Amino acid sequence: MNKYEQQAQKMKSHLQQHPKDYQTVISLFKVESDSIFYEQQKSKYLMLREIAKYQRKEDEYGK
């Protein structure tokens, strides 16, 4: 669970107690979109790392 998901959980529990808190709803949407973006970036960097690892192996052995 990343920091964005933790914030979203806190906001969801707050909204259960205060359902008319519209500022928290807007903030929740922003945090959830940040969480999605964070996960996408994380997977992108993992793929790039894997590609770089295979490119290094290819350079070691020659083409």
Side-chain angles (χ1 to χ4, degrees):
M1 184 177 281
N2 61 42
K3 66 181 181 179
Y4 300 110
E5 291 172 348
Q6 290 174 347
Q7 285 179 337
Q9 288 297 326
K10 288 179 185 177
M11 288 180 187
K12 286 178 185 177
S13 67
H14 174 79
L15 284 172
Q16 287 176 347
Q17 296 170 355
H18 307 281
K20 293 185 179 182
D21 188 358
Y22 296 110
Q23 289 180 334
T24 304
V25 172
I26 293 168
S27 296
L28 177 63
F29 288 145
K30 288 179 182 178
V31 167
E32 286 180 339
S33 75
D34 288 343
S35 178
I36 292 168
F37 179 73
Y38 174 78
E39 291 298 324
Q40 288 175 341
Q41 289 295 96
K42 190 170 131 181
S43 67
K44 175 184 170 185
Y45 290 131
L46 286 174
M47 285 191 289
L48 290 175
R49 221 180 295 159
E50 286 292 317
I51 291 170
K53 182 172 78 172
Y54 287 113
Q55 286 177 342
R56 277 187 248 124
K57 283 184 180 179
E58 198 172 273
D59 289 341
E60 288 176 9
Y61 297 121
K63 289 186 176 181

